[in-house]
Amino acid sequence: MMIFNFKQLKNWANGEPDNDVLDTILYDRTLVWLTLGLAIIGFIMVTSASMPVGQRLTQDPFFFAKRDVIYLILSFALALLVLNMPMIWWEKYNFLLLITALILLLVVLVAGSSVNGASRWINTGIVRIQPAEVAKLALFCYVSSYLVRKTDEVRTRFLGFIKPMCILILMAILLLLQPDLGTVIVLVVTTLALLFLAGARLAPFIIGIVICAVGVIGLIYFEPYRLRRITSFLNPWADPFGSGYQLTQSLMAFGRGELWGQGLGNSIQKLEYLPEAHTDFIFSVLAEELGYIGVVLVLLMLFFVAFRSMMIGKRALDATQHFSGYLACSIGIWFTFQALVNVGAAAGMLPTKGLTLPLISYGGSSLLIMFIAIAILLRIDFETRLKRAQAFVRRTK
């Protein structure tokens, strides 16, 4: 446990070490404050954006806000638990986590509850679990462990590149049966980025990108609703009350926001003009109510969370903690890309993909997994700092 390690270090130092040494072994305070800030902003925006739909569905305008509080409490509790789990546990049991995720993806196809034509949730009676969110963390843990075990093979042999891609393809097939193309794209981009960071040969890397790109284009071309999303994204005003409805309403929200916004709670688009205002398009409501200033502030916070994640990964790799380093980098890439897709879709720069905005959008599974990922980052940072502090203590004896 973290407290045990902290006291143990004090003993190793033969007395009270310098305060600067103590500071180096704690945690990334910046990441903690950024996460708390985004969670608070998310709760405020979920409360504001969900009131109309909550009133219509349950006669309680704070229905989704109350559920979001419960998810936040569960997320904090789970994060505290994960903080005390050493990274060796994640490396040792990554395959078990992967198998669990695959089983959940199979279960959701058989017994999943359907929302808007997609079977992506398992209803347990108390909470609804979205296996796709678990699958992200499970796959990144597995790939990080694989890269530690097979680094030379990945860098020198084509087969080393193909093996993790086979697991990715299996998971992608199960996700596409839901269907959930957005999660598949996040998994593909993050996995390829990890293989690139690990030093995979350029030829198989390019082949992998081309195959994935052709596959995504094929999935879009041969599925009418996906093709409509692409065409409506290119020109949403051609059919503003049909295929382009979501995007045109979202763009109206951005336009009304101007510099300072309409004020918290004063959004018009959230009055059920904009579908999924508290989930997929919460950034549009944020832009309308908080304006350009609010948008820039939130984007900067999201950027710095991703930046801190990559820096934690780099420090872990420099300290020869390769599994932790790869996993931290994968979390940073995942966080960045998912935020980019959500914001890009809301702003009309990318097609709608149905991905949540990390730590802000309403969604229990997404919030829980994101907090677990942040807790893992803090644990990685703690172990890296602890290792450096131990080396410092040994040198000063």
Side-chain angles (χ1 to χ4, degrees):
M1 294 177 65
M2 295 178 74
I3 296 175
F4 172 78
N5 286 332
F6 184 76
K7 290 181 178 178
Q8 187 180 49
L9 181 61
K10 292 170 71 176
N11 293 332
W12 286 333
N14 292 325
E16 290 294 329
D18 188 273
N19 288 333
D20 292 336
V21 177
L22 290 177
D23 288 339
T24 62
I25 64 169
L26 295 178
Y27 53 87
D28 191 324
R29 295 175 179 83
T30 303
L31 181 59
V32 171
W33 287 115
L34 286 170
T35 302
L36 290 175
L38 287 171
I40 291 170
I41 292 172
F43 171 70
I44 292 171
M45 294 313 305
V46 165
T47 302
S48 176
S50 66
M51 291 178 72
V53 67
Q55 178 66 34
R56 176 174 61 85
L57 294 176
T58 67
Q59 302 301 312
D60 180 4
F62 297 103
F63 173 77
F64 291 101
K66 292 174 183 176
R67 291 178 67 88
D68 201 44
V69 169
I70 294 172
Y71 288 134
L72 282 170
I73 293 171
L74 289 174
S75 298
F76 279 117
L78 201 54
L80 290 175
L81 178 64
V82 172
L83 275 173
N84 285 289
M85 295 170 59
M87 292 309 300
I88 190 66
W89 186 94
W90 295 96
E91 185 173 7
K92 183 178 180 180
Y93 296 107
N94 70 88
F95 191 72
L96 181 61
L97 183 61
L98 179 68
I99 295 299
T100 302
L102 291 172
I103 292 172
L104 288 174
L105 289 174
L106 287 170
V107 170
V108 78
L109 295 176
V110 178
S113 58
S114 179
V115 177
N116 295 331
S119 298
R120 300 178 185 175
W121 294 268
I122 299 174
N123 195 339
T124 63
I126 302 174
V127 295
R128 290 194 309 172
I129 300 171
Q130 189 173 2
E133 298 296 333
V134 180
K136 294 173 188 175
L137 184 60
L139 180 65
F140 302 150
C141 283
Y142 170 77
V143 174
S144 299
S145 175
Y146 176 83
L147 291 175
V148 173
R149 293 180 283 109
K150 304 289 184 179
T151 301
D152 293 336
E153 190 175 342
V154 169
R155 292 175 179 175
T156 58
R157 299 178 60 191
F158 185 73
L159 185 62
F161 181 90
I162 290 298
K163 286 179 181 178
M165 297 302 293
C166 290
I167 300 295
L168 173 62
I169 291 170
L170 173 61
M171 193 170 280
I173 291 172
L174 294 175
L175 286 165
L176 289 171
L177 291 174
Q178 296 182 10
D180 189 355
L181 180 59
T183 298
V184 171
I185 293 175
V186 171
L187 295 180
V188 168
V189 169
T190 307
T191 302
L192 288 175
L194 262 185
L195 290 168
F196 179 78
L197 286 175
R201 291 166 55 199
L202 193 59
F205 188 76
I206 293 174
I207 293 171
I209 291 176
V210 171
I211 291 174
C212 291
V214 171
V216 169
I217 292 171
L219 289 168
I220 293 172
Y221 183 79
F222 291 107
E223 194 66 51
Y225 83 92
R226 291 188 183 124
L227 189 59
R228 283 196 300 272
R229 282 186 177 181
I230 297 296
T231 55
S232 64
F233 146 72
L234 295 173
N235 186 13
W237 302 104
D239 188 13
F241 298 104
S243 59
Y245 180 75
Q246 280 184 314
L247 184 51
T248 54
Q249 296 300 317
S250 178
L251 292 175
M252 288 179 191
F254 273 88
R256 292 190 76 250
E258 298 182 342
L259 181 62
W260 296 103
Q262 296 297 315
L264 190 61
N266 292 328
S267 168
I268 290 180
Q269 296 307 115
K270 72 180 182 184
L271 302 177
E272 301 206 63
Y273 293 106
L274 178 63
E276 311 296 340
H278 60 300
T279 54
D280 298 349
F281 284 90
I282 196 169
F283 196 73
S284 305
V285 178
L286 186 149
E288 184 179 3
E289 295 189 349
L290 304 184
Y292 177 78
I293 301 300
V295 165
V296 170
L297 175 64
V298 171
L299 288 178
L300 284 174
M301 293 174 71
L302 290 169
F303 167 78
F304 279 113
V305 168
F307 178 76
R308 299 301 295 182
S309 302
M310 298 303 292
M311 290 305 298
I312 289 171
K314 181 181 182 301
R315 286 197 296 266
L317 289 171
D318 291 341
T320 67
Q321 296 175 319
H322 295 107
F323 172 78
S324 297
Y326 287 132
L327 184 55
C329 289
S330 69
I331 292 172
I333 297 165
W334 161 28
F335 193 96
T336 304
F337 187 73
Q338 186 160 320
L340 174 67
V341 171
N342 181 278
V343 173
M349 296 182 290
L350 293 171
T352 304
K353 276 276 119 326
L355 292 172
T356 59
L357 186 59
L359 300 172
I360 295 179
S361 293
Y362 174 81
S365 296
S366 175
L367 198 60
L368 287 167
I369 294 299
M370 282 297 174
F371 264 86
I372 289 174
I374 295 295
I376 289 174
L377 287 174
L378 291 172
R379 180 72 202 193
I380 292 171
D381 185 54
F382 171 78
E383 292 189 4
T384 304
R385 294 178 185 224
L386 181 64
K387 184 176 181 180
R388 290 183 176 180
Q390 290 170 355
F392 175 83
V393 170
R394 284 194 293 269
R395 285 197 303 269
T396 58
K397 282 186 178 180

